[in-house]
Amino acid sequence: MSTSSSAQFRALLTGIYRRVYEGNDQITLQFLMDNVFKGTDITAEELGRLCTVCEKVLRRAGFEDWDVTNFDAIMEQSPLTEEQRDVFSKFWRAHRAKIHSLLVDKSSWDNELVRFSWRIDLQTKSKTVAELDDPTAILEFAIAPPTSLQSSAASGEASEHVVRFEMDQRQLAHAVHEFNKIDAIITEYTQAQ
């Protein structure tokens, strides 16, 4: 593969990335033939097979969040040339984090916790009781729709919803206990994989 072929292959990967992950439907096989591979001897059938191979690898690598070592090992088994594999590996290194982030954004369908803050208040006097030493935790959560929904709802309104509430020591202990149970289950699942 010549230098211009490396540039064409990189442009092909960029086109596939834009079509698959950014939803650009204008990048078709014909578009790639006319704009990237114009004047070359590659046929539409050959380009179609090459696109299929690259798209499958890119989708699988993104879905499984392959690290660079894993990517390179799997690419050794692909029908691509050594130079194409090198270009693809460099492309993956440059785009891996962005692809992962896009997939996470697309897979979030529920609200997200955007901000969490807390403080402890100690009430010392009341109208009915002369002295109180009962600490209270005041919690504040800012919740927003998933990032993908925020960007699609391009309205000028703030999309955050703030929830504030108080918890006494007993309620807080119960909440911490429940969070520890959640943490244990998540840890169990992640260690099993």
Side-chain angles (χ1 to χ4, degrees), residues 4 9 13 20 22 27 43 80 88 113 118 120 155 163 173 184:
S4 64
F9 187 68
L13 293 173
V20 170
E22 294 179 355
I27 299 177
T43 66
L80 300 176
F88 210 153
L113 179 63
W118 60 273
I120 303 295
S155 64
V163 178

Side-chain angles (χ1 to χ4, degrees), residues 2 25 27 31 46 103 139 141 156:
S2 66
D25 294 333
I27 299 177
F31 175 86
E46 292 170 328
L103 286 172
L139 299 115
F141 297 98

Side-chain angles (χ1 to χ4, degrees), residues 6 15 94 104 147 156 185:
S6 293
V104 168
T147 310
I185 291 170

Side-chain angles (χ1 to χ4, degrees), residues 98-124:
K98 189 173 183 180
I99 288 172
H100 180 71
S101 177
L102 286 169
L103 286 172
V104 168
D105 287 348
K106 285 181 180 181
S107 66
S108 294
W109 59 87
D110 208 354
N111 291 337
E112 299 174 345
L113 179 63
V114 178
R115 192 176 61 252
F116 171 73
S117 58
W118 60 273
R119 74 172 195 249
I120 303 295
D121 279 358
L122 187 60
Q123 190 174 7
T124 56

Side-chain angles (χ1 to χ4, degrees), residues 14-163:
T14 301
I16 292 170
Y17 165 79
R18 287 183 179 157
R19 185 180 69 225
V20 170
Y21 293 106
E22 294 179 355
N24 188 339
D25 294 333
Q26 295 177 342
I27 299 177
T28 61
L29 189 61
Q30 189 60 49
F31 175 86
L32 294 170
M33 285 291 294
D34 294 344
N35 294 289
V36 177
F37 293 95
K38 188 175 185 174
T40 64
D41 58 350
I42 191 167
T43 66
E45 188 177 299
E46 292 170 328
L47 182 59
R49 281 194 304 268
L50 184 60
C51 282
T52 300
V53 167
C54 292
E55 185 173 332
K56 283 181 180 179
V57 169
L58 202 56
R59 283 182 184 272
R60 185 171 168 210
F63 179 74
E64 295 177 8
D65 195 24
W66 290 347
D67 61 20
V68 176
T69 306
N70 194 15
F71 184 87
D72 290 340
I74 291 172
M75 287 303 294
E76 289 296 323
Q77 303 164 11
S78 76
L80 300 176
T81 67
E82 185 176 338
E83 287 184 64
Q84 287 172 329
R85 288 192 303 260
D86 289 343
V87 170
F88 210 153
S89 182
K90 288 176 186 172
F91 182 87
W92 180 245
R93 284 184 179 122
H95 291 82
R96 177 182 177 219
K98 189 173 183 180
I99 288 172
H100 180 71
S101 177
L102 286 169
L103 286 172
V104 168
D105 287 348
K106 285 181 180 181
S107 66
S108 294
W109 59 87
D110 208 354
N111 291 337
E112 299 174 345
L113 179 63
V114 178
R115 192 176 61 252
F116 171 73
S117 58
W118 60 273
R119 74 172 195 249
I120 303 295
D121 279 358
L122 187 60
Q123 190 174 7
T124 56
K125 288 188 179 181
S126 138
K127 290 181 181 179
T128 57
V129 180
E131 237 180 86
L132 294 173
D133 286 332
D134 196 21
T136 304
I138 299 175
L139 299 115
E140 180 178 288
F141 297 98
I143 302 167
T147 310
S148 56
L149 292 179
Q150 286 180 26
S151 58
S152 64
S155 64
E157 299 176 20
S159 59
E160 273 187 15
H161 177 71
V162 178
V163 178

